[in-house]
Amino acid sequence: MAKLTVLSIMLATVFIDINSANAASFNCRYAKSPTEVAICQDDDLQALDERMAKDYFTLGPLLPRAERARLKRTQSSFIIRRNACGYNSDCINAAYEARIAKICSIADDNDLDCDEFGD
């Protein structure tokens, strides 16, 4: 009976670890860059990553083709800027805040409101 209890605890721990191993835009299990590691270790940065990814992936399909291409181009620039931050959480935070503002600006340019994309 004790072995079953230990096994149950181990499985529960693995399940919890699997569920908490993801930021919204990448899998923390495979985080290699200093920036990704920093995001995976910081709940606030993970929340910003989740918000940015939600806004990005919700907005894309709502845009005309040219605007969708603009959104994608600016995403690539954001990732380069974000990754240049290394482990600096203030820099990463600022990069996410700027990216979310840019996504919302693109939404606004297309008569959409990113505040309505839901939580």
Side-chain angles (χ1 to χ4, degrees), residues 98-109:
R99 180 59 183 153
I100 291 166
K102 181 65 175 175
I103 291 171
C104 289
S105 174
I106 292 171
D108 190 49
D109 291 347

Side-chain angles (χ1 to χ4, degrees), residues 73-100:
R73 273 192 317 277
T74 59
Q75 185 72 3
S76 297
S77 297
F78 156 71
I79 291 170
I80 291 167
R81 266 191 327 276
R82 181 200 71 183
N83 288 347
C85 292
Y87 288 109
N88 184 328
S89 61
D90 290 336
C91 177
I92 298 167
N93 186 76
Y96 273 107
E97 293 289 347
R99 180 59 183 153
I100 291 166

Side-chain angles (χ1 to χ4, degrees), residues 7-21 29:
L7 180 60
S8 296
I9 291 169
M10 288 173 55
L11 288 173
T13 302
V14 168
F15 182 72
I16 290 167
D17 287 344
I18 288 170
N19 285 334
S20 64
R29 191 173 287 232

Side-chain angles (χ1 to χ4, degrees), residues 26 33-40 45 82-87 92:
F26 62 92
S33 76
T35 302
E36 289 175 342
V37 171
I39 292 165
C40 291
L45 293 178
R82 181 200 71 183
N83 288 347
C85 292
Y87 288 109
I92 298 167

Side-chain angles (χ1 to χ4, degrees), residues 102-118:
K102 181 65 175 175
I103 291 171
C104 289
S105 174
I106 292 171
D108 190 49
D109 291 347
N110 288 275
D111 296 321
L112 299 166
D113 185 355
C114 66
D115 290 333
E116 294 179 3
F117 293 163

